């Protein structure tokens, strides 16, 4: 059996961070994992459903081909507890093969074999017992059309027929699917013995021991058959890795000669072969100087082809978009490799360490960060944890899994450490997970992922769903359709070049509250940061304040009696601190602080609360329509006036309303289908530039 080469060199890392070799992470959306996991669960049911329409064959039954007849009889046999094999075929000069005999697998008798000259020959018992069950086919040609008909049929057996759970173990029905073949070869290459390979497959597919569609003997035979092929493939892969990593190194050297800002570094082993390699670009280093406060180090993907782990450093710009900082290919997932990668990255970024780094759960990476970035806050990205929950808990919890998942989400968002630890203990006990190794793993990392522990860490909104999706899209863009490292290097270079980014027009920022604070924020912040701030300003109007003796304030929602927040106000330095810690967490003021600024008659926010990382002036790609906001305001006023008049006129009668509604719906569809940038916008931008 041969394996099909992968169309892409990158796959998701699947060993579980708990370190147990039997534990394996399956990600939603991964084709191979979803197909293989579903295949086992549906194998029996799909087979049985396909057999529902199989009736007992009869003499005179017509088939288009002998293969169709064999498949039909095989399905009938499986449904009835036996298997079949091809016996005699008869051939003539004119018709070719004109007769086929299919018989029960226990038909005939075993012929005595010639004794081999060995000391202890194996005495294998034969399953053949002279069973007379059979189906004979004869070919005929009518009007030039070939067909096969059943000339003899007997369903009389002289042996016991098997039950469903036994018949699937007959050799005729034991098949190793292609996806399983690839997995078996991979595990065998990693040094797993056959019995462990079988256990891993059972765990991955979520089936009970012995319920795979093949047995340990089949796996052993398959591995033995493929051993020579595997050894040849290993030699080819080793050669390919050495050649391609050398090509990648040469590409880095050539890029450094053309671009003085490009940086790279690598290590070699005792044979002078490339082990680890990392690189970054001038644009990325400049972007890091503005947005390097929070870094995501993604180690989701690895290459089986090259045996390398991919590590990519990302950040978020002032428009909420993913930006590329650097890339590393590592020989393994050890603490030493991660340490080298972190050292190299900091050196690329001219010695500046991030305030916060987000990663997946990995003990080697945790040790490397503690050693190389002692003053950096380490956060485990919640999206990595959520992606593992199904693999960890869906099987042990069964029907309770969805309830557990909802409760886990609630635990993630608790604000108090005491509440988290109390509710965690109750939840773990309620679902019977006290001794679960994954629960122990999560609890050992609790200082790095629940909101209650990390609420004071600066994350710049990198834990939002939108950023997670943006990062995933970016990764798929640089990893798609690759067959070698050279293509990967080119795609990374294109993605890291900010000149290739789409220059977005200045998004109109509509004023909703008419508060001077809102107007001031709009003039300084990017549309992304302004819309978040604007939302907080709107909500701040729903909060009541109670001034305390020391000048601080208790702030709570006007409808809720609980959930008060303490806002400390220091007028001498214009400092404000809220117990919700939103500003410390995202760099954008919370509704509670904004409410206090409002009652203090502030018409502009102090400069220190409009962070440079969220300002328009920090944009990596120039936005050409900065001066278009006033023109947009005039347009907005004109539209508001027109819309108000249209509403008044349309409400006079139902006929008028229906007409206006119909025409406006059509108009809106037409506008949405128009190009985003047209001649009017470009001319307006050009006029603004010439006027300035």
């Amino acid at each position: 059996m041969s394996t099909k080469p992968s169309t892409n060199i990158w796959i998701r890392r699947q060993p579980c961070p708990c370190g147990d070799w039997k534990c394996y992470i399956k990600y939603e959306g991964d084709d191979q994992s979803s197909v293989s996991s579903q295949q086992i669960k549906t194998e029996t049911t799909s087979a049985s459903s396909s057999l529902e329409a199989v009736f007992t064959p009869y003499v005179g039954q017509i088939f288009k081909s002998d293969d169709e007849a064999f498949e039909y009889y095989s399905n009938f046999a499986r449904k009835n507890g036996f298997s079949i094999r091809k016996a005699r075929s008869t051939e003539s000069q004119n018709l070719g093969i004109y007769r086929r005999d299919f018989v029960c697998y226990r038909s005939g008798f075993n012929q005595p074999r010639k004794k081999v000259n060995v000391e202890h020959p194996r005495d294998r018992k034969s399953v053949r017992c002279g069973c007379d069950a059979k189906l004979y086919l004869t070919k005929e040609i009518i009007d030039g059309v070939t067909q096969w008909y059943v000339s003899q049929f007997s369903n009389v057996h002289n042996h016991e027929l098997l039950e469903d759970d036994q018949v699937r173990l007959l050799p005729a029905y034991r098949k190793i699917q292609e996806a399983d073949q690839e997995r078996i070869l991979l595990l065998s290459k990693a040094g797993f013995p056959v019995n462990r390979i079988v256990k891993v497959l059972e765990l991955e597919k979520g089936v009970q021991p012995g319920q795979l569609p093949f047995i340990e003997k089949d796996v052993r035979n398959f591995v033995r058959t493929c051993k020579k092929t595997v050894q040849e493939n290993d030699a080819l892969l080793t050669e390919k890795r050495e050649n391609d990593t050398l090509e990648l190194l040469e590409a880095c050297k050539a890029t450094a000669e053309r671009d003085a800002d490009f940086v790279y570094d690598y290590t070699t082993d005792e044979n002078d072969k490339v082990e680890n390699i990392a690189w970054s670009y001038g644009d990325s280093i400049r972007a890091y100087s503005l947005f390097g406060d929070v870094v995501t180090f993604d180690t989701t993907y690895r290459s089986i082809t090259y045996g390398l782990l991919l590590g990519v450093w990302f950040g978020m710009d002032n428009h909420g978009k993913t930006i590329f900082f650097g890339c590393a290919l590592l020989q393994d997932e050890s603490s030493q490799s991660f340490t080298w990668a972190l050292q190299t990255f900091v050196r690329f970024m001219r010695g500046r360490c991030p305030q916060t780094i987000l990663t997946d759960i990995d003990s080697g990476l945790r040790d490397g960060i503690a050693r190389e970035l002692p003053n950096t806050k380490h956060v485990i990205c919640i999206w990595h944890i959520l992606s593992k929950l199904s693999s960890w808990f869906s099987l042990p919890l069964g029907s309770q899994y969805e309830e557990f998942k909802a409760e886990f989400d609630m635990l993630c968002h608790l604000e108090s450490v005491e509440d988290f630890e109390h509710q965690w203990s109750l939840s773990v006990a309620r679902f019977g997970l006290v001794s679960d190794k994954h629960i122990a793993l999560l609890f050992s990392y609790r200082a790095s992922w629940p909101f209650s522990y990390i609420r004071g860490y600066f994350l710049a909104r990198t834990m939002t769903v939108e950023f997670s999706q943006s990062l995933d899209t970016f990764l798929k863009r640089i990893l798609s359709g690759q067959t070698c490292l050279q293509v990967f290097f080119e795609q990374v270079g294109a993605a890291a070049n900010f000149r290739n980014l789409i220059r977005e027009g200045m998004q109109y920022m509509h004023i909703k509250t008419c508060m001077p604070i809102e107007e001031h924020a709009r003039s300084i912040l990017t549309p992304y940061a302004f819309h978040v701030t604007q939302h907080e300003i709107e909500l701040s109007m729903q909060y009541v304040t109670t001034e305390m003796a020391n000048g601080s304030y208790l702030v709570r929602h006007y409808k809720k009696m609980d959930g008060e927040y303490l806002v400390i106000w220091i007028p001498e330095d214009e400092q404000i601190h809220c117990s919700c810690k939103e500003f410390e967490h995202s760099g954008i003021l919370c509704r509670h602080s904004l409410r206090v600024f409002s009652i203090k008659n502030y018409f502009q926010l102090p400069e220190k609360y409009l962070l440079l990382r969220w300002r328009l002036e920090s944009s990596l790609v120039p936005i050409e329509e900065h001066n278009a906001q006033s023109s947009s305001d005039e347009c907005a006023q004109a539209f508001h006036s027109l819309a108000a008049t249209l509403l008044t006129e349309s409400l006079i009668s139902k006929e008028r309303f229906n007409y206006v509604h119909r025409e406006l719906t059509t108009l809106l569809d037409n506008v949405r289908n128009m190009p985003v940038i047209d001649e009017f916008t470009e001319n307006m931008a050009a006029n603004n530039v010439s006027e300035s």
Side-chain angles (χ1 to χ4, degrees):
M1 299 180 217
S2 61
T3 60
K4 189 188 292 183
S6 176
T7 56
N8 196 311
I9 61 175
W10 304 108
I11 64 165
R12 288 178 185 262
R13 284 173 72 194
Q14 293 167 321
C16 180
C18 72
D20 188 340
W21 64 267
K22 300 188 295 295
C23 201
Y24 186 81
I25 302 299
K26 290 180 288 188
Y27 296 93
E28 293 180 11
D30 281 5
D31 292 337
Q32 180 171 324
S33 62
S34 60
V35 169
S36 60
S37 62
Q38 198 174 5
Q39 185 177 350
I40 274 297
K41 296 173 184 176
T42 60
E43 176 106 10
T44 305
T45 55
S46 63
S48 62
S49 63
S50 68
L51 302 179
E52 290 296 329
V54 179
F55 300 102
T56 303
Y58 56 90
V59 174
Q61 188 172 0
I62 304 294
F63 296 97
K64 292 179 182 177
S65 68
D66 53 341
D67 288 336
E68 181 187 357
F70 183 80
E71 183 180 358
Y72 187 93
Y73 191 28
S74 180
N75 288 337
F76 170 80
R78 180 162 187 169
K79 185 180 178 183
N80 286 274
F82 66 102
S83 67
I84 62 170
R85 58 182 170 85
K86 293 178 181 179
R88 187 179 56 174
S89 62
T90 310
E91 188 175 359
S92 74
Q93 191 171 358
N94 295 330
L95 291 175
I97 295 176
Y98 66 90
R99 175 169 163 163
R100 289 279 195 194
D101 295 354
F102 305 144
V103 297
C104 173
Y105 77 113
R106 302 193 70 175
S107 171
F109 295 95
N110 195 38
Q111 297 298 322
R113 295 185 181 179
K114 219 186 229 185
K115 290 190 178 179
V116 242
N117 193 18
V118 290
E119 190 175 345
H120 300 290
R122 284 184 295 176
D123 186 20
R124 290 181 178 173
K125 290 186 178 180
S126 172
V127 297
R128 298 191 181 186
C129 60
C131 179
D132 195 40
K134 62 194 173 190
L135 184 147
Y136 293 171
L137 286 175
T138 302
K139 181 167 74 173
E140 62 181 357
I141 301 175
I142 301 176
D143 297 330
V145 178
T146 301
Q147 63 182 22
W148 295 77
Y149 67 91
V150 178
S151 54
Q152 289 186 55
F153 172 70
S154 170
N155 197 32
V156 178
H157 298 265
N158 65 351
H159 57 87
E160 187 179 352
L161 298 177
L162 305 177
E163 298 295 331
D164 286 344
D165 61 334
Q166 296 173 310
V167 74
R168 67 181 182 82
L169 297 176
L170 291 175
Y173 305 127
R174 298 199 314 260
K175 288 184 174 60
I176 304 178
Q177 300 297 330
E178 187 175 295
D180 293 327
Q181 290 179 23
E182 293 181 2
R183 186 76 180 128
I184 289 167
L185 288 177
L186 180 65
L187 292 169
S188 177
K189 180 182 173 183
F192 280 61
V194 170
N195 62 333
R196 278 196 175 187
I197 292 175
V198 172
K199 287 181 181 177
V200 168
L201 291 171
E202 288 170 346
L203 287 163
E204 288 174 2
K205 296 172 183 296
V207 299
Q208 294 298 317
Q211 293 302 307
L212 290 170
F214 46 84
I215 60 176
E216 188 175 309
K217 176 184 175 183
D218 301 323
V219 176
R220 183 170 285 106
N221 290 339
F222 173 71
V223 170
R224 187 184 298 118
T225 303
C226 295
K227 192 171 184 181
K228 185 178 178 182
T229 307
V230 169
Q231 289 171 346
E232 292 172 353
N233 287 344
D234 283 349
L236 289 172
L237 285 176
T238 301
E239 184 181 358
K240 179 177 175 59
R241 173 180 172 173
E242 291 174 2
N243 292 338
D244 284 9
T245 49
L246 278 176
E247 283 183 13
L248 176 61
L249 183 57
E250 290 302 317
C252 288
K253 291 177 180 177
T255 306
E257 289 174 4
R258 294 193 308 269
D259 181 3
D261 294 327
F262 177 81
V263 290
Y264 73 99
D265 196 8
Y266 64 98
T267 63
T268 57
D269 61 16
E270 62 276 5
N271 298 316
D272 208 29
K273 308 294 184 185
V274 176
E275 280 184 325
N276 307 308
I277 186 167
W279 67 92
S280 185
Y281 302 85
D283 282 345
S284 299
I285 296 169
R286 285 185 286 275
Y288 185 86
S289 67
L290 289 168
F291 307 114
D293 41 18
V294 181
V295 170
T296 297
F297 186 37
D298 190 281
T299 55
T300 305
Y301 291 88
R302 67 172 294 110
S303 170
I304 292 182
T305 306
Y306 298 101
L308 295 171
L309 173 70
L310 172 64
V312 188
W313 289 278
F314 292 107
M316 177 193 276
D317 71 2
N318 53 343
H319 293 273
K321 304 291 175 125
T322 300
I323 48 177
F324 174 87
F325 287 148
C327 180
L329 294 173
L330 306 175
Q331 64 167 340
D332 55 35
E333 302 163 26
S334 65
S335 177
Q336 291 80 2
S337 293
F338 285 129
T339 297
W340 177 85
L342 294 167
Q343 286 174 346
T344 305
F345 177 70
V346 172
R347 190 169 67 256
F348 285 170
M349 300 303 143
R350 296 165 187 171
R352 182 185 167 194
C353 299
Q355 291 182 42
T356 311
I357 186 167
L358 286 83
T359 72
D360 198 350
I361 298 180
D362 190 293
S363 58
L365 188 50
R366 177 176 62 177
D367 294 343
I369 290 171
R371 189 181 303 114
E372 297 302 320
L373 304 174
N375 299 318
T376 296
K377 304 293 186 185
H378 182 199
V379 172
I380 304 299
C381 185
I382 190 63
W383 306 114
H384 287 305
I385 292 176
L386 294 177
S387 70
K388 296 175 176 62
L389 289 186
S390 177
S391 294
W392 285 346
F393 303 114
S394 60
L395 280 176
L397 291 177
S399 59
Q400 288 186 297
Y401 172 67
E402 289 301 324
E403 186 184 353
F404 169 79
K405 191 176 175 183
E407 193 158 319
F408 187 86
D409 185 66
M410 178 272 294
L411 288 168
C412 291
H413 294 92
L414 289 175
E415 296 185 358
S416 159
V417 170
E418 292 76 17
D419 285 348
F420 171 82
E421 296 198 351
H422 176 66
Q423 292 296 332
W424 177 270
S425 299
L426 293 178
S427 181
V428 166
R430 189 162 74 86
F431 288 100
L433 297 172
V434 176
S435 59
D436 187 272
K437 62 185 176 186
H438 298 118
I439 286 292
L441 177 72
L442 287 172
F443 196 69
S444 70
Y445 277 86
R446 67 189 180 282
S448 301
W449 62 268
F451 177 70
S452 54
Y453 282 89
I454 64 172
R455 61 187 302 187
Y457 296 0
F458 184 66
L459 292 175
R461 296 183 60 78
T462 53
M463 294 277 266
T464 60
V465 177
E466 295 77 17
F467 181 70
S468 173
Q469 292 171 343
S470 172
L471 192 148
D472 192 50
T473 301
F474 192 103
L475 272 172
K476 286 178 179 175
R477 188 164 75 245
I478 65 173
L479 298 178
S480 63
Q482 296 171 17
T483 54
C484 68
L485 293 179
Q486 182 69 30
V487 175
F488 170 68
F489 180 74
E490 291 168 1
Q491 289 187 190
V492 170
N497 188 342
F498 296 136
R499 287 184 292 277
N500 293 334
L501 296 178
I502 298 173
R503 293 191 171 218
E504 296 184 356
M506 181 66 174
Q507 184 182 354
Y508 176 65
M509 296 182 282
H510 177 53
I511 292 295
K512 295 182 179 179
T513 68
C514 296
M515 292 172 64
I517 281 180
E518 185 185 10
E519 294 256 13
H520 178 236
R522 183 178 70 162
S523 67
I524 294 177
L525 301 175
T526 62
Y528 174 81
F530 171 71
H531 286 138
V532 178
T533 303
Q534 184 183 54
H535 181 65
E536 294 298 313
I537 291 172
E538 285 184 276
L539 293 177
S540 72
M541 301 167 72
Q542 300 178 15
Y543 282 76
V544 295
T545 59
T546 305
E547 187 170 7
M548 302 175 69
N550 60 0
S552 299
Y553 290 85
L554 285 177
V555 183
R556 65 173 178 83
H557 194 272
Y558 80 102
K559 282 187 177 180
K560 300 173 183 175
M561 299 309 294
D562 57 347
E564 287 184 332
Y565 294 91
L566 175 65
V567 178
I568 299 172
W569 169 244
I570 306 173
E572 295 79 16
D573 302 322
E574 290 188 316
Q575 283 190 43
I576 199 162
H577 302 279
C578 181
S579 59
C580 78
K581 297 186 181 295
E582 179 60 32
F583 182 74
E584 291 84 348
H585 196 64
S586 69
I588 293 176
L589 279 173
C590 64
R591 61 201 70 170
H592 320 111
S593 298
L594 288 165
R595 180 60 178 157
V596 172
F597 272 126
S598 178
I599 65 171
K600 288 292 182 183
N601 297 322
Y602 268 73
F603 300 110
Q604 291 188 354
L605 294 174
E607 290 289 303
K608 63 177 128 185
Y609 293 114
L610 296 169
L611 296 188
L612 182 63
R613 75 145 11 258
W614 295 127
R615 296 190 182 199
L616 278 167
E617 63 188 86
S618 301
S619 298
L620 298 170
V621 179
I623 298 177
E624 297 173 350
E625 293 99 51
H626 283 193
N627 299 323
Q629 187 67 51
S630 58
S631 301
S632 298
D633 284 340
E634 293 173 9
C635 292
Q637 290 174 9
F639 272 120
H640 278 304
S641 176
L642 184 60
T645 305
L646 190 61
L647 178 63
T648 303
E649 293 292 334
S650 65
L651 291 177
I652 291 176
S653 69
K654 186 174 182 181
E655 184 181 0
R656 284 190 177 194
F657 175 80
N658 290 338
Y659 172 77
V660 170
H661 184 269
R662 184 173 61 252
E663 293 299 317
L664 281 180
T665 302
T666 304
L667 179 63
L668 183 59
D669 288 340
N670 291 337
V671 170
R672 281 175 173 161
N673 291 328
M674 292 173 69
V676 177
I677 298 178
D678 56 14
E679 293 180 7
F680 172 79
T681 309
E682 290 176 349
N683 291 337
M684 187 165 67
N687 292 336
N688 289 331
V689 171
S690 61
E691 287 171 9
S692 62

